[in-house]
């Protein structure tokens, strides 16, 4: 798509809704504020603490082999490199949402009423989104992607081989699509893939990288600079990575020229539970691919029922991920407080109430909803944004399984 075209389904009236506009502009503003906040937290406060040391001590650390002040200067430079990507995301996002109002000359800007609206949590999300480019769109992140995507590809290939040769391309839904890499990879393999995402931080970033970035390696990111702990060497602390490792449009064109039948890809900006329970979504998908997604559910029953509804008979639910329940101790809606009052809309993921299950209980629930378990593997080591050189190594032992919607339902 050309820059400026609408790049997601579901945003036609988003900017006209005051609350939705607030969320969108908070996300945009958080990318704008990233650099200022990162400079303050990562280097400004450290310089203050540095010069609060006894003079003999800070002079020792300022000299070789430590060169601590030089390190802080390098971190500032790295923050600016990250911020170049953040600013590109903002520019494309503004053009997408309100080109008629925000473009002044050649450079779009956030409307004055929304400048500075991002809160701490918004800025935290902007920082984590920038770091996620390492996992999803760097060559070095390929090993993490292969662990999670491999089970998806294998299950889909097995399903495809059982279909008639003249069957149309399989339609694959990716809820919680994040920065869109799995959506792109599925398209490159010939599937009709659709990503769904509710986070505007992720939507803004994925729109830029899928549609508007100019070339491979256009940006350089430094994912490890925001913390100074557990670095084995300073070189690793300051290690950079080129993103994206592939230019999507160029790669799809190359595949087509080589005779590969590529598919189609799209993204939707909506609450998964609302959009995919619409009438036109009934039995619309051949497979639903979930990577680090199911544990984002406050109510997993609603997720599974929605997936069952939108799958065709015989369709697959393919899952890979841990169970880091995102709403543990922070239930949506009533927030777990007995004195909360009011009626809650029960049409999306913000429903009141939540629960957490163990992995074996999740499997029991999958069958209770109506699925048939096809395969299951547990204990798969699955790093997520892991610095391989860090002195702290946290790796999930993920569960990977495939379930089928019966070809005939009672």
């Amino acid at each position: 798509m050309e820059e400026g075209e609408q790049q997601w389904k579901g945003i036609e009236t988003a900017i006209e809704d005051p609350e939705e506009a607030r969320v969108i502009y908070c996300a945009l503003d958080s990318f704008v504020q990233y650099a200022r906040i990162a400079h303050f937290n990562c280097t400004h406060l450290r310089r203050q603490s540095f010069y609060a040391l006894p003079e003999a001590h800070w002079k020792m650390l300022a000299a070789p082999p430590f060169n601590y002040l030089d390190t802080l200067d390098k971190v500032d430079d790295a923050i600016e490199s990250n911020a170049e990507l953040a600013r590109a995301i903002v520019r494309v996002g503004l053009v997408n949402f309100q080109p008629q109002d925000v473009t002044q000359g050649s450079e779009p800007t956030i409307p004055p009423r929304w400048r500075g609206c991002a809160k701490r949590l918004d800025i935290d999300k902007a920082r984590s989104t920038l770091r996620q480019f390492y996992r999803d769109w760097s060559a070095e992140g390929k090993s993490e992607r292969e662990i999670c995507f491999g089970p998806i590809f294998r299950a889909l290939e097995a399903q495809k081989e059982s279909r008639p040769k003249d069957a149309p391309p399989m339609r694959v839904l990716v809820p919680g699509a994040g920065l869109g890499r799995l959506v792109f990879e599925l398209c490159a393999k010939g599937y009709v893939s659709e990503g769904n995402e509710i986070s505007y931080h992720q939507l803004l970033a994925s729109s830029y990288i899928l549609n508007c970035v100019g070339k491979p390696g256009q940006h350089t990111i430094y994912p490890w600079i925001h913390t100074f702990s557990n670095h084995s060497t300073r070189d690793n602390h300051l290690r950079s990575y080129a993103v994206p490792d592939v230019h999507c449009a160029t790669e799809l064109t190359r595949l087509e020229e080589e005779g590969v039948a590529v598919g189609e890809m799209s993204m939707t900006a909506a609450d998964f539970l609302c959009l995919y329970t619409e009438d036109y979504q009934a039995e619309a998908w051949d497979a639903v691919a979930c990577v680090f997604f199911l544990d984002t559910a406050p109510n997993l029953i609603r997720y599974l029922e929605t997936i069952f509804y939108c799958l065709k008979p015989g369709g697959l639910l393919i899952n890979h991920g841990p169970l880091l329940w995102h709403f543990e101790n922070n239930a949506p809606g009533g927030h777990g407080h007995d004195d909360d009052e009011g009626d809650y809309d029960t049409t999306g993921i913000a429903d009141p109430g939540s629960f957490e299950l163990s992995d074996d209980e999740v499997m029991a629930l999958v069958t209770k909803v109506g699925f048939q378990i096809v395969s299951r593997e547990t204990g798969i080591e699955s790093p997520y944004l892991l610095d391989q050189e860090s002195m702290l190594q946290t790796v999930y032992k993920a569960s990977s399984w495939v379930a089928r919607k019966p070809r005939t339902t009672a």
Side-chain angles (χ1 to χ4, degrees):
M1 293 184 180
E2 296 295 324
E3 184 174 324
E5 287 186 38
Q6 181 177 296
Q7 294 164 2
W8 314 303
K9 302 174 188 174
I11 66 167
E12 294 85 352
T13 59
I15 209 71
E16 298 172 3
D17 181 289
E19 177 57 23
E20 198 75 4
R22 184 192 66 80
V23 174
I24 293 167
Y25 281 118
C26 280
L28 288 165
D29 185 62
S30 69
F31 285 111
V32 172
Q33 292 197 48
Y34 161 77
R36 179 179 64 83
I37 298 299
H39 284 307
F40 180 80
N41 289 332
C42 295
T43 59
H44 174 73
L45 293 179
R46 282 186 171 84
R47 288 188 179 94
Q48 287 186 328
S49 296
F50 181 81
Y51 284 116
L53 293 168
E55 183 176 0
H57 293 180
W58 69 253
K59 284 186 174 180
M60 179 190 299
L61 294 172
F66 311 105
N67 301 311
Y68 194 77
L69 291 174
D70 290 344
T71 293
L72 296 183
D73 288 342
K74 291 176 181 177
V75 170
D76 278 327
D77 291 341
I79 289 170
E80 283 304 308
S81 185
N82 289 349
E84 288 181 14
L85 173 56
R87 293 172 188 131
I89 292 168
V90 171
R91 183 180 187 282
V92 168
L94 288 170
V95 169
N96 284 336
F97 279 111
Q98 266 190 331
Q100 71 278 15
D101 293 330
V102 301
T103 302
Q104 299 176 357
S106 61
E107 193 64 26
T109 60
I110 292 179
R113 65 172 296 199
W114 297 111
R115 292 173 194 167
C117 65
K119 306 302 182 186
R120 180 183 62 81
L121 182 59
D122 299 307
I123 298 168
D124 287 346
K125 290 179 180 178
R127 182 180 65 247
S128 65
T129 299
L130 293 172
R131 293 181 67 238
Q132 194 172 331
F133 277 92
Y134 162 77
R135 172 182 168 87
D136 284 6
W137 291 102
S138 77
E140 293 81 358
K142 183 178 180 180
S143 60
E144 286 195 14
R145 296 194 298 271
E146 286 181 335
I147 293 170
C148 299
F149 295 176
I152 307 295
F153 299 151
R154 289 191 292 272
L156 290 174
E157 284 301 309
Q159 180 83 335
K160 185 164 66 173
E161 289 176 3
S162 68
R163 290 158 54 92
K165 296 295 184 182
D166 59 349
M170 290 174 59
R171 288 167 47 82
V172 183
L173 173 63
V174 183
L179 295 184
R181 185 59 184 254
L182 180 55
V183 176
F184 166 72
E185 295 290 352
L186 290 169
C187 174
K189 290 180 178 294
Y191 300 101
V192 176
S193 60
E194 179 168 291
N196 168 252
E197 182 57 60
I198 196 171
S199 164
Y200 278 111
H201 289 84
Q202 301 283 321
L203 286 162
L204 290 162
S206 65
S207 177
Y208 173 69
I209 209 72
L210 289 169
N211 301 297
C212 302
V213 72
K215 61 182 180 179
Q218 181 168 331
H219 299 280
T220 301
I221 61 166
Y222 295 77
W224 320 129
I225 59 168
H226 303 101
T227 175
F228 279 58
S229 298
N230 288 310
H231 294 295
S232 55
T233 67
R234 192 60 67 194
D235 284 345
N236 187 66
H237 180 201
L238 297 169
R239 183 160 293 145
S240 64
Y241 304 89
V243 297
D245 59 317
V246 62
H247 183 260
C248 294
T250 301
E251 178 64 11
L252 293 178
T253 299
R254 181 188 69 80
L255 290 171
E256 288 181 322
E257 290 174 348
E258 293 179 358
V260 176
V262 302
E264 302 172 13
M265 65 177 176
S266 60
M267 290 282 285
T268 61
D271 185 317
F272 171 68
L273 296 181
C274 295
L275 178 58
Y276 294 95
T277 51
E278 295 282 347
D279 291 344
Y280 73 95
Q281 294 286 359
E283 300 185 352
W285 298 94
D286 295 291
V288 176
C290 299
V291 175
F292 281 69
F293 173 70
L294 291 184
D295 58 358
T296 68
N299 181 350
L300 182 58
I301 298 172
R302 290 289 305 277
Y303 269 33
L304 294 174
E305 288 177 340
T306 300
I307 293 169
F308 194 90
Y309 174 81
C310 71
L311 275 175
K312 298 176 182 178
L316 297 182
L317 164 56
I318 313 167
N319 175 72
H320 181 96
L323 292 177
L324 181 64
W325 296 107
H326 288 211
F327 286 91
E328 185 172 2
N329 302 319
N330 187 29
H335 295 282
H337 299 305
D338 293 336
D339 57 352
D340 281 339
E341 298 179 356
D343 296 325
Y344 299 102
D345 180 9
T346 57
T347 58
I349 65 170
D351 288 356
S354 67
F355 62 90
E356 301 84 34
L357 298 180
S358 63
D359 193 45
D360 58 342
E361 290 171 335
V362 168
M363 301 313 299
L365 183 59
V366 170
T367 59
K368 183 71 72 173
V369 170
F371 288 98
Q372 300 167 341
I373 305 300
V374 175
S375 64
R376 182 189 181 202
E377 184 178 356
T378 60
I380 303 171
E381 292 196 354
S382 300
Y384 195 96
L385 276 175
L386 180 66
D387 175 3
Q388 297 287 348
E389 303 301 320
S390 172
M391 299 167 70
L392 174 64
Q393 299 287 306
T394 301
V395 179
Y396 293 106
K397 292 203 168 182
S399 180
S400 186
W401 47 265
V402 180
R404 186 186 306 279
K405 180 177 179 177
R407 299 187 186 280
T408 58
T409 56

